[in-house]
Amino acid sequence: MTKVVIITGAGTGMGRLIARSLAQAGHTVYATMRFVEGRNRDKADEARAFASDHKVNLRPLELDVNSDASITQAVQTVLENEDRIDVLVHNAAHLYFGITEAFTPEQILASLNTNTVGALRVNRGVLPVMRRQGLGLLLWIGSGTSRVVPPFLAPYTAAKAAMDSFADSISYELARFGIESSILMPGPFIEGTAHFPNAEFPADETVQKEYLARYEDAIARNEQATRALFAEDVTADVQAIADEALRIIDLPHGSRPYRTEVDFSDFGDAPVNAVAMVMRERLLQRFGLSDLLHPTNIRS
């Protein structure tokens, strides 16, 4: 069944690949990004050209996860065109790299605003629609770093962990509305994403330099160390994220995985997830709320 999908942060990297893959599979995809008529005009035009060349429904749409007005307008546009929203893919994210103390409080708040609160803002625009429908899917593009924390990424990993926690809580609150949640957790990828090329660095250069005397080697070899996580015969293709997103979305209601990992590096989050899933189910059973683990299809 063709689904109407909104994807945040769909101008580059994983978001762009997810948007293209879903559109090619026959879904109607709204690839949202900021400044579609400004600095991202080329990305929007690229999406339009892809749609025309492949005869698919891939539509760039203005949406800033940090603007309630922008979100309201985007949701209104989708509803005017489609009269429903079946899937919301939370993908928008911004990477921060450096010494934690050297990031200003304003930078930390900005990371939380984009990587965590932004998703909650979009939810406030989309969930009233899904609740009225009695059906829908939130697909959260999380991170293995929510479970196993690497060095020098604290503003990002803290915000992604916070987003993950919100996704857990929200899944309970939506279950009785028939709305499913899936958390897709990518492992590390060196190529194919815009995270590191667009990463933000600490604003307090004085503090950063004070740490470099002891940590310059570790920071300098971060990419080398990350590459060393992969076996020599393994290619970490970011397209696998898009393929998994498509697989989840195309599964029947009620059969989608709550968590899934796409990792070529043996990053370590999978066993942590396995234990967390068991304890999550145990806790809900002890609360007498085990029905919240399995969204009800209230339209059936």
Side-chain angles (χ1 to χ4, degrees):
M1 176 182 173
T2 298
K3 295 179 177 64
V4 177
V5 184
I6 295 176
I7 305 174
T8 65
T12 59
M14 292 179 188
R16 180 175 64 176
L17 288 175
I18 293 171
R20 290 183 171 191
S21 294
L22 297 184
Q24 286 185 293
H27 299 297
T28 297
V29 180
Y30 286 84
T32 76
M33 62 193 82
R34 296 182 299 166
F35 312 122
V36 294
E37 299 302 330
R39 74 176 190 224
N40 286 326
R41 178 71 178 267
D42 59 334
K43 296 180 178 66
D45 287 344
E46 185 182 72
R48 295 186 187 100
F50 184 91
S52 177
D53 292 345
H54 294 83
K55 305 296 188 292
V56 296
N57 282 324
L58 175 60
R59 307 176 185 183
L61 180 65
E62 177 74 28
L63 190 154
D64 181 353
V65 300
N66 291 331
S67 167
D68 291 332
S70 174
I71 293 164
T72 298
Q73 181 59 57
V75 170
Q76 182 178 336
T77 297
V78 175
L79 290 178
E80 287 174 353
N81 292 340
E82 315 297 338
D83 200 35
R84 72 182 200 273
I85 300 170
D86 301 308
V87 182
L88 170 59
V89 181
H90 286 302
N91 173 74
H94 184 53
L95 192 71
Y96 292 74
F97 179 72
I99 297 297
T100 306
E101 185 186 340
F103 286 102
T104 64
E106 290 74 19
Q107 287 182 293
I108 303 296
L109 289 170
S111 177
L112 289 165
N113 199 25
T114 296
N115 296 320
T116 307
V117 181
L120 304 184
R121 284 195 192 89
V122 181
N123 272 357
R124 285 174 57 82
V126 171
L127 287 181
V129 178
M130 289 186 173
R131 286 190 283 107
R132 287 195 300 269
Q133 294 171 173
L135 206 63
L137 168 66
L138 297 186
L139 178 55
W140 304 78
I141 306 302
S143 173
T145 64
S146 295
R147 301 299 202 198
V148 182
V149 180
F152 312 126
L153 297 172
Y156 173 80
T157 58
K160 293 298 279 189
M163 187 192 84
D164 192 282
S165 182
F166 275 115
D168 267 329
S169 293
I170 290 166
S171 72
Y172 305 143
E173 298 161 1
L174 296 178
R176 292 178 181 175
F177 288 97
I179 300 171
E180 289 186 282
S181 298
S182 285
I183 304 171
L184 197 171
M185 303 179 75
F189 287 88
I190 305 300
E191 283 91 21
T193 76
H195 277 350
F196 274 99
N198 294 331
E200 186 168 337
F201 300 97
D204 193 333
E205 296 180 2
T206 300
V207 171
Q208 178 86 350
K209 288 177 181 177
E210 290 174 0
Y211 275 84
L212 288 180
R214 296 172 187 252
Y215 287 92
E216 185 171 17
D217 62 325
I219 292 175
R221 64 183 296 273
N222 181 76
E223 181 176 336
Q224 177 186 348
T226 303
R227 290 184 183 279
L229 298 176
F230 300 91
E232 290 185 4
D233 60 343
V234 170
T235 300
D237 186 355
V238 74
Q239 176 62 38
I241 301 294
D243 294 342
E244 180 66 358
L246 175 61
R247 184 186 76 84
I248 293 169
I249 289 169
D250 279 349
L251 286 171
H253 181 91
S255 67
R256 295 176 173 119
Y258 181 68
R259 282 190 188 273
T260 183
E261 304 92 9
V262 176
D263 174 34
F264 296 90
S265 71
D266 189 23
F267 192 70
D269 57 306
V272 181
N273 285 335
V275 173
M277 285 290 287
V278 171
M279 301 313 294
R280 173 179 181 265
E281 293 180 8
R282 177 177 180 268
L283 179 64
L284 268 290
Q285 288 167 359
R286 294 177 68 198
F287 273 135
L289 295 171
S290 57
D291 70 295
L292 303 187
L293 297 168
H294 307 287
T296 304
N297 187 347
I298 61 179
R299 290 178 56 182
S300 62

